[in-house]
Amino acid sequence: MSTAHQSDYFTLFRTALDENDRRSKVIVFADIVGSTDMKAKGEVTWLPTVGKFYDVVGEAVSQTGGRVVKYLGDGAVLAFDDDKAAEAINAAILIQESLEELRHDNKLQCQCSIGVTTGRPVSFEIAGATDFVGESVDLAARLCGAANPNAVWADANTVSAANMARVRSRVGAAMRRGVAEYRTGEESVRLKGFSDPVKYHEIIWSTTPFGVRNSVVTQIVNRESDKVVAEAANTSRDRSREWQLGTVVSWSGDRGMGFVRADGEKEDRFVLKHWLVGVDELPRGQRVAFLGNTAAPGKKNATAVRVMIFDQPTQGQIAVCPDGRDYVFVEVRDSNRTPNRGLIFCPRPATESKIGDWVSVVPIVDASGRPAMRLG
């Protein structure tokens, strides 16, 4: 490791590049979303928010065995040894869970996005502390900047190195989530400063992934669309994943949960607020469309997810638009502070369409009498 002296960074970095013992590190880059608007409200609002964010980051690091490299005003850089990739992911999850809890309790209105990468950064010492620069640090920052608020993105190297069996989240534990269910499939996105598409996975710490920021959604080059299309095609052969219609049996606004009974079923299905799309609650007797899941091991009730009000349009954004096909996939989101994300299979619009276009999705009954989706 090289040591920096005043006005000697050129020599420092030049020497560091020639060192052969550069160690692999896992870098976590966390950044507050909407910091510019927050600063406009004045220091009385801004500084306590940043201070609490720093506390949340510090506590997450202390629980997972990493260290804070530096704070960046509205963000933070963390470092973990390369054998602690799972711990780095868990630190990112802890940060998001803590911020979500604070928002829920109206104690702090702060969201962040997080990027996690593994590589061999250049390390140097300044003022008695070790800092890092290099491609993996830049990549963590770029992934963070491309991810939606509340999202955790990890590059392919990190996910490959991590023992995903050690990755945990509160929601994941409650849902008895399997090892493979804590991440999306491999995706790739073009990022500024990187000539080739960057492969990454989103870490699913909440009920669903949070996805890509609107500003970069048109830059997605591989959302595993072939896999998504295949899954959609299989829907017709998998009754449990077809759209179903049902009626709201009960809803508790205080608890953010309720029950829906599907047409033709005798047992009620459990619904959480985070599984609603376009609404925050479900009045009793409301007709809804949803995707059904079987009951988790040890649980009595099956669940209804991606719940939408029947015959009511919901805004979404085209996320997959295969050339030469008569369908698209629309990403929908709800109005909660921690938005639900999900892809919906729809007929291709009659007008020219492309990734990133906003459209309305409406649950209907098609000519054959089956629940379906149409673009409004």
Side-chain angles (χ1 to χ4, degrees):
M1 181 190 304
S2 300
T3 303
H5 302 288
Q6 187 174 3
S7 303
D8 195 25
Y9 285 101
F10 175 81
T11 302
L12 170 73
F13 293 156
R14 186 69 175 270
T15 302
L17 287 171
D18 294 333
E19 294 179 353
N20 295 321
D21 61 346
R22 286 164 55 183
R23 297 181 179 179
S24 182
K25 293 287 183 180
V26 185
I27 301 296
V28 179
F29 194 103
D31 189 58
I32 295 175
V33 177
S35 59
T36 301
D37 293 338
M38 200 176 299
K39 289 177 181 177
K41 297 178 181 179
E43 293 179 349
V44 174
T45 298
W46 167 242
L47 288 177
T49 299
V50 173
K52 188 62 177 177
F53 174 73
Y54 287 177
D55 290 342
V56 166
V57 170
E59 178 62 24
V61 170
S62 69
Q63 291 185 40
T64 52
R67 70 179 185 85
V68 177
V69 176
K70 55 189 171 185
Y71 292 111
L72 300 169
D74 54 359
V77 179
L78 321 177
F80 292 76
D81 291 339
D82 60 355
D83 62 345
K84 294 187 178 296
E87 286 75 7
I89 292 173
N90 282 332
I93 291 173
L94 284 171
I95 292 170
Q96 297 292 24
E97 288 181 333
S98 297
L99 292 178
E100 181 184 49
E101 184 175 357
L102 290 167
R103 291 193 302 271
H104 182 270
D105 295 338
N106 292 318
K107 294 180 179 179
L108 185 73
Q109 295 306 313
C110 176
Q111 295 176 301
C112 80
S113 54
I114 301 177
V116 187
T117 60
T118 298
R120 297 183 182 276
V122 175
S123 63
F124 63 97
E125 190 172 295
I126 181 170
T130 302
D131 200 348
F132 298 96
V133 294
E135 186 177 88
S136 60
V137 180
D138 294 343
L139 179 55
R142 295 298 186 192
L143 286 174
C144 174
N148 255 323
N150 310 304
V152 176
W153 284 12
D155 73 341
N157 289 337
T158 300
V159 172
S160 295
N163 180 353
M164 294 299 292
R166 298 210 302 261
V167 172
R168 291 286 185 274
S169 75
R170 296 169 190 166
V171 170
M175 297 177 67
R176 298 177 180 269
R177 188 169 283 162
V179 173
E181 296 177 293
Y182 272 98
R183 60 175 177 81
T184 64
E186 186 176 273
E187 304 184 40
S188 61
V189 63
R190 289 195 178 276
L191 299 173
K192 183 178 179 181
F194 293 85
S195 58
D196 296 324
V198 174
K199 296 179 180 180
Y200 73 95
H201 301 261
E202 180 168 350
I203 303 303
I204 310 176
W205 63 272
S206 188
T207 54
T208 58
F210 292 95
V212 185
R213 293 198 192 187
N214 293 345
S215 59
V216 297
V217 71
T218 57
Q219 298 177 8
I220 300 175
V221 296
N222 175 16
R223 292 194 63 137
E224 289 195 303
S225 57
D226 290 341
K227 179 181 177 182
V228 173
V229 169
E231 289 176 351
N234 287 335
T235 298
S236 61
R237 297 189 292 272
D238 180 5
R239 185 68 188 176
S240 67
R241 296 303 297 172
E242 289 183 348
W243 285 103
Q244 295 178 257
L245 297 181
T247 303
V248 179
V249 176
S250 63
W251 183 261
S252 171
D254 293 338
R255 301 175 67 187
M257 56 170 284
F259 291 91
V260 169
R261 179 167 296 183
D263 295 350
E265 292 185 350
K266 296 181 179 180
E267 300 293 332
D268 296 338
R269 290 179 173 269
F270 179 61
V271 181
L272 282 175
K273 179 178 179 180
H274 294 299
W275 301 342
L276 309 183
V277 177
V279 293
D280 290 321
E281 58 183 21
L282 294 173
R284 185 176 179 180
Q286 176 67 59
R287 293 287 288 166
V288 293
F290 60 88
L291 294 176
N293 284 336
T294 56
K299 301 294 183 181
K300 175 182 178 181
N301 294 96
T303 59
V305 299
R306 211 163 300 168
V307 183
M308 305 173 67
I309 303 298
F310 178 70
D311 203 29
Q312 177 175 303
T314 297
Q315 284 290 103
Q317 202 168 21
I318 295 178
V320 179
C321 191
D323 291 337
R325 305 292 180 90
D326 60 356
Y327 53 79
V328 296
F329 287 89
V330 178
E331 185 182 58
V332 294
R333 59 203 71 188
D334 69 14
S335 57
N336 296 322
R337 293 193 185 101
T338 54
N340 179 43
R341 294 288 189 268
L343 291 180
I344 291 181
F345 177 85
C346 294
R348 198 181 194 97
T351 57
E352 184 177 350
S353 56
K354 62 183 184 300
I355 292 176
D357 285 351
W358 286 93
V359 294
S360 293
V361 180
V362 186
I364 61 167
V365 173
D366 64 18
S368 67
R370 299 174 65 181
M373 292 288 163
R374 68 171 173 84
L375 295 181

